[in-house]
Amino acid sequence: MDIKQLIYLCNLEQARHFGRAAEASFVSQPTLSMRLKNLERELGVSLINRGNNFEGFTPEGERVLAWAREIVSVYQGLKLEVESLKHGLNGTLRIGVVPQCSISLSGLLKRISERYPQLDYRVSVLSADQLLEALTGHSVDVGIGFFELTTLNELHFQSQPLEDSGVDLIFHPQHFPDLVDEIPLSLAQVAELPLCLAEPTRYFRRYLDNSFRDAGFALHARLETTSIFQLLQGIFVGLGCGLFPRGSLLEDMSPALMRRPVNIVSMSRRAAVVVAEPSRVTPLAQHFFDAAREWLAPI
């Protein structure tokens, strides 16, 4: 057994396809298949359900895969640690983020880049449940999203909770001039408006739907989309208004838009920046987390 076989196994889990896993591993598909069969032969168990295509892992394969994730994560952490000792902190940090989280991620990355200019970032947009799975499976180094803090404690993650600053209605005053005011809107008032909203599977959208339903109202979603960019375009042209957690850069980036606070109950989950426990976190993720905690503390 060698580390490359375990990396191939992890790549196969992520790709769910032999050809794409081979591409991610920078080897040919026959080479990847042969190395994984050698691993099965050495361990004496079948790891992969094979048909005409990849059909998932066997129960034994799932157990081996859990160990492989741990070993590959430690191996990658060791390589990054050595590179950092030789050249200073550098490399690519994998960040998983939930849409409409109450933080300016780009502002945070810019601030941390001033301290660690050789760091690069690869950001994946995930659902709240996918993000927890990605953190547990070591497919991301840092998670920024909505979490049950008790769950994070049980799994021994390090977390920096974000302040819940409330929810704003975002609108274009040219199309909704009657909304220009600083007085918070009630749920009844928001329920009368056409809205541009994220799809119902997203945690923030579920929170909105539940809050309005509990109060006896329903949201009028004129536009639903997975794309924040499409949401902003819909708001800009007056197709509807948007609902966002306070803390984004919407007003700065789109000065034509305005916001108005909404009277709504707090979320049951807490927004937070999360990394693995100290004994398992990579050096890049730990340095990022420490810097993020410093930046977020005054906020």
Side-chain angles (χ1 to χ4, degrees), residues 124-175:
S124 302
V125 178
L126 305 169
S127 71
D129 294 333
Q130 288 173 334
L131 180 55
L132 189 59
E133 291 179 4
L135 284 164
T136 304
H138 305 290
S139 58
V140 298
D141 305 302
V142 179
I144 301 176
F146 302 106
F147 302 92
E148 296 283 357
L149 295 186
T150 54
T151 300
L152 295 180
N153 291 333
E154 290 170 359
L155 296 174
H156 306 293
F157 285 111
Q158 301 178 74
S159 64
Q160 173 59 49
L162 308 177
E163 182 180 355
D164 185 352
S165 299
V167 173
D168 286 329
L169 183 84
I170 305 297
F171 63 97
H172 198 306
Q174 177 182 333
H175 305 293

Side-chain angles (χ1 to χ4, degrees), residues 3 17 23 28 33 39 59 85 132 134 158 183 214 227 231 240 247 251 253:
I3 191 65
H17 185 277
E23 290 177 6
S28 67
S33 296
L39 178 62
L85 290 173
L132 189 59
Q158 301 178 74
I183 299 174
D214 291 345
S227 168
L231 283 182
E251 288 181 280
M253 293 172 60

Side-chain angles (χ1 to χ4, degrees), residues 82-90 118:
V82 172
E83 287 299 311
S84 297
L85 290 173
K86 292 191 296 185
H87 308 295
L89 198 67
N90 69 92
Q118 297 184 79

Side-chain angles (χ1 to χ4, degrees), residues 10-30:
C10 292
N11 287 342
L12 180 60
E13 180 199 20
Q14 294 179 22
R16 315 298 293 183
H17 185 277
F18 286 106
R20 290 193 293 271
E23 290 177 6
S25 305
F26 303 102
V27 297
S28 67
Q29 183 171 334

Side-chain angles (χ1 to χ4, degrees), residues 9 16 63 79 103 111 135 159-160 173 212 219 276 291:
L9 194 67
R16 315 298 293 183
R63 296 292 298 274
K79 289 179 63 179
I103 186 174
R111 182 65 177 268
L135 284 164
S159 64
Q160 173 59 49
F212 276 79
L219 294 169

